[in-house]
């Protein structure tokens, strides 16, 4: 990639940002399509967030990804927020054409799941009620899930998220329960989405949220954890004959959707996936 006078800049704002996988993933995509773009990471202190957005606007930056801790705070500095991002209450992508915020995390997860199972009319169990669960749950509702059961260690948080999703009007059947009851909820489930950090490196031998005995062959199991690639939960899913969906696919498709928003072009997902795997040292 050659940086020229005409090169368009997109990037990431967060704090910290130095371990992000997004620069190699997006720059590989721009290289592949021979596009005159470069993606850079900017470490922005929380107190400088407004200045960073105004500065980016005046520097003619084309787009940002937004990561921790700015995903909620940045919304007040934007002109427009996409409808689902507004329900979620967080954005991870900014398009400077119209200073509009989007949340592509949830889109990334549903696209990953839809590679192996459609979501429409399915009964979905979501484990966890944090940021990732919130982004994914609203998109599962938008993509036509029949029912959503949100399970969490702190049940109040699961109930609060379930109420928000229900109030969105995107889905009628939303429930909440303790994650300790997961086995009983999996009997009638079509899709299990795990948004807890259980099994994440270095705790790769954590006890999974569910075991093969709790699963069935028609179940699709998505784990948001992407390191390791095959988590302790996905190993149980494979043992049960269920269909595994890997966390790296969510990273990939959230990036692909941001790429499309900024450039108007379909992202070269195979190239991006290879760059991600190389960066993560996955096979
Ligand atoms: P978060 O906001 O901190 O939420 C974490 C959730 O996991 C909470 O509901 C928490 O329950 C639950 N939890 C944590 N430890 C637990 C344990 N030992 N047992 C049972 N439940 C536990 O975190 P997040 O931002 O949603 O991220 C969650 C995971 O998703 C992380 O591993 C992250 O790497 C992954 N993620 C992946 C992608 C991707 O692109 N693949 C994107 C975003 C996030 P309590 O409320 O009871 O504490």
């Amino acid at each position: 990639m050659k940086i020229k006078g005409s090169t368009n800049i997109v990037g990431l704002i967060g704090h910290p940002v130095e371990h992000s996988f997004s620069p190699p993933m997006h720059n590989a995509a721009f290289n592949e399509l021979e596009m005159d773009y470069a993606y850079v990471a900017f470490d922005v202190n929380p107190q400088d967030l407004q200045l960073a957005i105004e500065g980016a606007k005046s520097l003619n930056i084309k787009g940002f990804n937004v990561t921790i801790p700015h995903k909620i705070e940045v919304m007040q500095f934007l002109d427009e927020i996409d409808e689902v991002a507004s329900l979620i209450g967080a954005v991870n992508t900014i398009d400077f054409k119209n200073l509009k915020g989007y949340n592509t995390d949830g889109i990334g997860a549903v696209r990953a799941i839809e590679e192996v199972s459609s979501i429409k009319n399915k009964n979905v169990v979501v484990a966890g009620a944090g940021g990732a669960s919130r982004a994914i749950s609203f998109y599962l509702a938008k993509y036509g899930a029949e029912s959503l059961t949100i399970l969490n260690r702190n049940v109040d948080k699961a109930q609060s998220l379930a109420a928000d999703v229900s109030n969105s009007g995107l889905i009628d059947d939303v429930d909440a329960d303790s994650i300790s009851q997961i086995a009983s909820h999996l009997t009638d489930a079509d899709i299990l989405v795990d948004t807890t950090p259980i099994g994440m490196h270095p705790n790769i031998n954590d006890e999974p949220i569910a075991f093969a005995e709790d699963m069935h062959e028609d179940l699709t199991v998505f784990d948001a954890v992407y390191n390791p690639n095959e988590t302790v939960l996905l190993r149980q899913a494979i043992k049960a004959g269920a269909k595994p969906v890997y966390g790296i696919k969510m990273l990939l498709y959230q990036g692909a959707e941001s790429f499309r928003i900024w450039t108007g072009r379909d992202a070269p997902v195979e190239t991006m996936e290879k760059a991600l795997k190389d960066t993560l040292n996955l096979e």
Side-chain angles (χ1 to χ4, degrees):
M1 181 199 340
K2 279 211 175 71
I3 307 272
K4 301 181 286 191
S6 55
T7 301
N8 298 292
I9 301 297
V10 291
L12 168 73
I13 53 168
H15 182 68
V17 291
E18 64 264 29
H19 299 299
S20 169
F21 315 116
S22 293
M25 177 171 70
H26 283 285
N27 286 320
F30 294 137
N31 260 336
E32 172 73 20
L33 299 183
E34 297 179 1
M35 293 172 73
D36 188 12
Y37 276 81
Y39 187 110
V40 256
F42 300 101
D43 193 326
V44 175
N45 274 306
Q47 68 268 23
D48 295 330
L49 185 57
Q50 182 170 9
L51 278 173
I53 297 299
E54 285 169 3
K57 222 166 40 177
S58 61
L59 290 170
N60 200 19
I61 282 176
K62 302 299 177 195
F64 272 160
N65 279 134
V66 183
T67 190
I68 292 166
H70 303 317
K71 287 184 176 190
I72 298 169
E73 292 301 319
V74 78
M75 294 174 77
Q76 64 191 300
F77 307 124
L78 305 180
D79 285 348
E80 255 186 278
I81 309 283
D82 162 79
E83 206 179 324
V84 186
S86 169
L87 290 167
I88 293 166
V91 307
N92 78 329
T93 301
I94 298 170
D95 184 358
F96 279 93
K97 283 195 283 296
N98 42 8
L99 205 56
K100 181 169 178 175
Y102 299 83
N103 191 314
T104 70
D105 282 329
I107 303 177
V110 296
R111 266 188 79 180
I113 293 166
E114 290 219 314
E115 275 191 341
V116 303
S117 162
S118 95
I119 288 161
K120 199 164 173 51
N121 299 329
K122 298 290 168 58
N123 298 311
V124 187
V125 170
V126 179
S133 172
R134 197 172 168 84
I136 296 170
S137 293
F138 279 100
Y139 270 101
L140 289 165
K142 187 177 165 64
Y143 274 63
E146 174 70 26
S147 72
L148 213 55
T149 306
I150 299 169
L151 308 177
N152 201 37
R153 193 170 51 177
N154 174 340
V155 185
D156 286 350
K157 261 172 74 180
Q159 279 167 345
S160 164
L161 175 55
D164 287 350
V165 177
S166 180
N167 289 337
S168 73
L170 292 168
I171 182 171
D172 294 326
D173 190 351
V174 191
D175 217 345
D177 201 350
S178 164
I179 196 165
S180 63
Q181 300 304 310
I182 189 165
S184 67
H185 291 287
L186 289 182
T187 320
D188 294 327
D190 302 301
I191 300 169
L192 167 63
V193 173
D194 185 10
T195 70
T196 72
I198 292 171
M200 185 163 71
H201 181 81
N203 306 312
I204 58 171
N205 291 317
D206 274 356
E207 182 172 309
I209 56 162
F211 290 92
E213 303 84 86
D214 308 323
M215 301 177 187
H216 54 82
E217 281 186 355
D218 296 326
L219 188 70
T220 296
V221 180
F222 168 66
D223 196 336
V225 169
Y226 50 80
N227 188 8
N229 192 41
E230 198 166 288
T231 60
V232 66
L233 178 69
L234 293 182
R235 285 208 299 275
Q236 293 294 320
I238 291 163
K239 195 171 156 196
K243 293 185 261 330
V245 180
Y246 296 86
I248 191 173
K249 295 279 185 177
M250 174 174 171
L251 267 184
L252 171 67
Y253 287 124
Q254 63 76 27
E257 186 60 19
S258 298
F259 184 99
R260 195 193 58 75
I261 288 168
W262 299 324
T263 67
R265 294 183 65 171
D266 286 340
V269 287
E270 278 172 27
T271 301
M272 291 168 83
E273 185 167 4
K274 184 175 180 315
L276 263 184
K277 285 187 168 166
D278 287 349
T279 312
L280 278 160
N281 275 324
L282 301 176
E283 73 293 346

